[in-house]
Amino acid sequence: MRNSSLLILSALGGLFLLQAQNKQLLYDFQEIPQSLMLNPGMQTPYDWHAGIPFLSGFSFQAGTSGISVNDIFANDGLDINDKVRQRAINGLSIRDEISGVYQIEVLYGGFRGRNNPENYFSFGIYNEGVGINYWPSDLAVLAFDGNAGQLNRRFDLSHLKTRGELLNVFHFGWNRNWSRDLTVGARAKIYSGILNFHSSTNDGYFVTTPGVNNILASTLVSNMQLRTSGLQSIKDVLDDDSIDNTSGISSIFTKRGFFGGDLGMGLDLGFTYQISSSTYVMGSLLDLGLMYHSGDIRNFTLEGGATIEGVELILPDALEDPNADFWQDLVDQIEAFIPFEENTNNYVTFRPTKFYGAIRHNFGEDGPSGEWCDCNYLTNSKDSNLTYKNSVGGQIYAINRPRGPQVAVTAFYQRRFGNALALRGSYTVDKFTYTNIGLAASFQAGPVNFYLMADNLLGYQNLAASHYASFQFGINIISWHVN
Amino acid sequence: MKIFSKIFLSVLLALNLMACSDEQDFNQIDDLNIIPTAEASLLFVEIPEEFINESGVPDFYTQTFNFGAFEEQFFAENVLDGVISYEVENTTSKPLDVTIEFLDAGGNVLDTERFTIDEAPTAVLLREITYGTPTGRDINIITSTSAIRLTGVNLGDNTSVSGIPEPVVLLRSSAMFRIRLK
């Protein structure tokens, strides 16, 4: 039991070590087919593409805001208790978070329509793990200091906000070059949830006040809930010594990840609009969708309110029942007013919707003329769009989070070297860091495309002190659309 | 182009290979102490003067009752030290003895606190008893307590009535303990 609990906690903790979902280096990087996943309305210069299964797209992002590993664990001779108190308990706010995401593409491909080559279709499956945990400030103070000497201070239970999930996403996208200056796209998604936990709508408080009868009154008003899906079956496997943990959990993941667990639907939308011969604006909304959690549900609630002033004996009433158990009566009374309950009610969660907006300006022609012409979609191919040596632009990114949207702003410069190499550098500002410099490279060797991206490179000077790091790579086979 | 790409790759490779970090000591986590101090009311007793007079005997009240707060497993295993505060207020017309005894599961007396208070008007009697500190009483008294016995003894008469409205003897108490979570 103890081991299984630790394993589950470790798994969930692993999610928390992953971070943010901004892929600013990849966005509108047309040489890389995975950029189509960020904007289904991107200009597509491919005839077809095929990702190498499990290797076509891997991304891993990790970070924290407000505190770093180095802040706590640096071998600096300081007392860890002082560091935790100064930098975490007193240093973090409820807006600080540990959160993240990883994504592994299982399958990814795309092809241009034969009869309608202005259409480009893409499809695939990817596995994603997402987790976010906000710093529960008041609860941390309560845990470290307790309520002594905190008369009339309300410890806010809404500070507990956390959610996480593992899921497989099956998707099919349609991209259409609508006119010479407009490309639109949409992607339908089916979510197959493997596990989910969700506790982000908590409310209430705990407060100690001067008592009416006794010295102190302790009041708890709680409207808290933790909803989980898919965790109980994993716990059962871990608790069952007759089942091999690895194969048992793999079996659960496989079953639940392929439509045997929670199901949901979502939609991505995007466009690219050419506002001049070499300037484009683009935008996309990703994961407009929801999940219906209906299998292996286990929810916990703590709802109600009570004020207690200890065991109360008021004579002569207290002598009426010689067998009275005042302590148990008090416990029963509290449990009646604030019941801790479990249920298996199905529930719905909304996917963390993401928004990207960007502008790109190309300059420095390299190859055939890229002049803005009154021509059709056929000219919006690799020949015309990818002939510029340089691109500069800016992006804005926002994601819906339990404490409101998180925003990041990016500026980038991209340099192409013929058909073989494209490089991009970016500078991003977000809540995690103001010094996020990233580099990306896309290599093309014949039909083989390999890309590599790394973020917040300045953080590599002292990784432990970094608040954010990310890494992406993948291999694809691409047939370029040539006219 | 070759030079540029070589530079880029070299930079990327160097950043990954030469990424460095200040020395970390994750064993520090063993030294982390999480020891909150929890505070709450413990016991409230209210005895009207009328009840004392009607009893007709000096030992007007004794009652033993279960008190499981201290023997809750988590508390008993992790409490370090603490203080129990008492307030005894007497607005009756007679001097009183109020005794509180902590009993273990076998009914043995682990600790006794006796309050002798004059008849009204008199000041509220305040007392703090420390457990678990070098100068305090043994913390095991607390962790072994499973019942409390209260005794009230009238040191005066059974007929007088206080001039104060609704005369009572009140025992208020609260506990403040440090508990090691880690």
Side-chain angles (χ1 to χ4, degrees), chain A residues 423-446:
Chain A
L423 303 175
R424 176 180 284 198
S426 69
Y427 170 70
T428 300
V429 174
D430 60 17
K431 72 179 289 185
F432 301 101
T433 175
Y434 295 157
T435 56
N436 183 349
I437 293 174
L439 284 176
S442 172
F443 306 93
Q444 191 72 36

Side-chain angles (χ1 to χ4, degrees), chain A residues 216-230:
Chain A
L216 300 169
S218 304
T219 300
L220 177 64
V221 176
S222 171
N223 183 10
M224 303 182 78
Q225 60 179 349
L226 168 65
R227 296 181 293 190
T228 74
S229 171

Side-chain angles (χ1 to χ4, degrees), chain A residues 226-242:
Chain A
L226 168 65
R227 296 181 293 190
T228 74
S229 171
L231 290 177
Q232 184 60 39
S233 55
I234 295 171
K235 182 176 179 295
D236 291 342
V237 168
L238 295 173
D239 286 347
D240 190 342
D241 294 336
S242 67

Side-chain angles (χ1 to χ4, degrees), chain B residues 21-180:
Chain B
S21 170
D22 286 351
E23 184 184 347
Q24 306 295 304
D25 177 9
F26 294 104
N27 291 328
Q28 289 180 81
I29 198 72
D30 297 335
D31 300 327
L32 180 63
N33 297 312
I34 303 177
I35 306 173
T37 305
E39 184 178 35
S41 281
L42 197 63
L43 180 66
F44 171 76
V45 183
E46 178 182 307
I47 307 171
E49 183 176 61
E50 184 183 1
F51 177 83
I52 299 170
N53 284 341
E54 287 177 355
S55 69
V57 294
D59 297 349
F60 65 88
Y61 171 61
T62 184
Q63 187 170 19
T64 303
F65 55 90
N66 172 46
F67 191 79
F70 295 151
E71 62 178 2
E72 290 286 341
Q73 185 181 5
F74 178 80
F75 178 85
E77 289 178 356
N78 296 288
V79 65
L80 299 176
D81 52 47
V83 177
I84 295 181
S85 301
Y86 298 96
E87 293 180 12
V88 183
E89 181 177 357
N90 183 13
T91 57
T92 72
S93 61
K94 51 217 79 196
L96 299 166
D97 253 4
V98 176
T99 303
I100 182 168
E101 294 170 294
F102 291 166
L103 312 178
D104 66 13
N108 303 304
V109 176
L110 301 171
D111 197 17
T112 302
E113 203 57 41
R114 183 180 173 187
F115 305 92
T116 302
I117 187 165
D118 294 334
E119 67 275 21
T122 185
V124 176
L125 193 158
L126 305 175
R127 190 174 298 172
E128 289 189 344
I129 309 299
T130 303
Y131 297 88
T133 62
T135 56
R137 299 179 189 177
D138 190 345
I139 192 65
N140 290 326
I141 292 170
I142 296 298
T143 57
S144 302
T145 294
S146 64
I148 289 176
R149 180 159 61 213
L150 280 170
T151 305
V153 177
N154 181 1
L155 303 177
D157 61 71
N158 289 317
T159 55
S160 61
V161 175
S162 171
I164 299 172
E166 298 183 10
V168 290
V169 56
L170 299 173
L171 170 68
R172 303 184 184 95
S173 62
S174 68
M176 184 167 66
F177 285 103
R178 293 198 310 144
I179 302 163
R180 179 179 286 280

Side-chain angles (χ1 to χ4, degrees), chain A residues 92-113:
Chain A
L92 296 176
S93 78
I94 57 170
R95 300 201 70 81
D96 287 313
E97 66 177 69
I98 303 172
S99 63
V101 63
Y102 79 85
Q103 216 174 72
I104 302 171
E105 275 185 2
V106 177
L107 188 68
Y108 185 42
F111 59 92
R112 188 164 294 283

